[in-house]
Amino acid sequence: MSPVLDVRDLTKTYGEGEATVHALRGVSLTVERGDYVAIMGSSGSGKSTLMNILGALDVPTSGTYRLDGVDVSRLADRQLALARNRLIGFIFQAFNLIPRTSALANVELPLAYAGIKPRQRRRRALAALDVVGLAERARHEPNQLSGGQQQRVAVARALVTEPALLLADEPTGNLDTRSTEDVLTVFDQLNAAGRTIVIITHEPEVGARAKRLIRLVDGQIVHDVRQAPVFA
Ligand code: ADP
Ligand code: MG
């Protein structure tokens, strides 16, 4: 089976001439199915640039990127969008739930886009909410939920389509310690169930929970290490 992510010699350059910024300088990275990877680095190290490319939201200046065996660096916009919807579940720092819309309807939305029929949509969305421990809150709207609960709804929305990869950008950046722990526990459980997770984070205690820690400095990977499990 092909790796979930297979990235070779990625570079990304912004601007030109005097103003050229080399945001990524030759990043190579393979992530196998079932891994749990944290990417850390200081501000300006290239995390968002890498995240956008891994998430098929942007294309590299050079290098290749295979997502679940598909060479996405060669895809045109429309195909890129299709690959993204099919293969990646995104989790954002700011949750990005639709306001005044129930948790259930939020989680159903990606299935609606995928053309799944209402009854099956409902069943799968409820199952995903159950996985994150929020089945009883299915009818609540985002403003009736705590930050940690909202982020868990966002995790349910990300996993309901059964993507090859869960990709999270600073998922605990807006959460207090208690809610951070709740979300990290959900990630632990999802990974134990076989889900592949890549998260970008500033927080060392969040990075410590992953199985593998990658550190970016000035657009290059300087550390890539396996970590012993942490039992919180
Ligand atoms: P991080 O997310 O780790 O803070 P970024 O990937 O956002 O790092 O940025 C890496 C480098 O690329 C920085 O020097 C940043 O200023 C530059 N950069 C990022 N996006 C752009 C852009 N759209 N145009 C020009 N420079 C950019
Ligand atoms: Mg950033």
Side-chain angles (χ1 to χ4, degrees):
M1 229 182 332
S2 39
V4 175
L5 293 181
D6 188 3
V7 156
R8 300 278 166 83
D9 302 323
L10 281 190
T11 72
K12 182 71 178 182
T13 305
Y14 294 110
E16 44 191 67
E18 296 277 286
T20 303
V21 175
H22 298 281
L24 295 179
R25 306 165 180 263
V27 169
S28 296
L29 170 65
T30 303
V31 176
E32 300 291 343
R33 219 159 295 271
D35 210 350
Y36 179 4
V37 181
I39 299 175
M40 299 193 70
S42 57
S43 182
S45 59
K47 298 185 301 299
S48 295
T49 300
L50 180 59
M51 159 98 184
N52 288 341
I53 295 172
L54 296 182
L57 297 163
D58 198 2
V59 289
T61 302
S62 67
T64 60
Y65 172 30
R66 287 176 174 277
L67 179 58
D68 207 29
V70 178
D71 187 353
V72 288
S73 42
R74 302 278 172 276
L75 295 181
D77 286 356
R78 216 183 93 77
Q79 273 75 29
L80 199 62
L82 286 173
R84 180 163 65 229
N85 293 342
R86 196 166 59 78
L87 298 173
I88 303 175
F90 288 98
I91 298 152
F92 303 97
Q93 178 169 357
F95 323 138
N96 296 7
L97 298 178
I98 296 172
R100 294 179 294 281
T101 303
S102 71
L104 185 62
N106 266 282
V107 176
E108 278 188 39
L109 203 61
L111 297 177
Y113 289 143
I116 310 283
K117 297 273 190 306
R119 183 190 297 225
Q120 202 198 348
R121 227 147 72 191
R122 183 128 313 188
R123 187 178 56 71
R124 284 175 61 179
L126 276 171
L129 282 168
D130 195 37
V131 166
V132 301
L134 288 175
E136 303 91 81
R137 298 276 156 66
R139 304 288 166 183
H140 287 57
E141 296 179 3
N143 66 4
Q144 300 171 309
L145 299 169
S146 71
Q149 289 170 336
Q150 290 183 61
Q151 191 61 302
R152 283 190 282 149
V153 171
V155 171
R157 179 183 57 187
L159 64 89
V160 75
T161 54
E162 311 231 316
L165 174 68
L166 289 177
L167 189 55
D169 188 10
E170 298 281 0
T172 58
N174 286 5
L175 301 180
D176 61 24
T177 310
R178 169 78 202 283
S179 299
T180 293
E181 179 53 37
D182 290 346
V183 167
L184 292 178
T185 300
V186 168
F187 284 156
D188 287 346
Q189 289 165 348
L190 290 172
N191 182 244
R195 297 255 161 218
T196 312
I197 303 173
V198 172
I199 95 174
I200 290 182
T201 182
H202 266 92
E203 300 164 73
E205 63 275 25
V206 174
R209 290 284 278 268
K211 286 180 181 166
R212 178 178 170 194
L213 184 65
I214 289 174
R215 200 169 288 277
L216 270 184
V217 174
D218 291 340
Q220 287 182 314
I221 293 177
V222 297
H223 289 291
D224 184 348
V225 293
R226 290 266 146 212
Q227 310 193 105
V230 171
F231 297 100

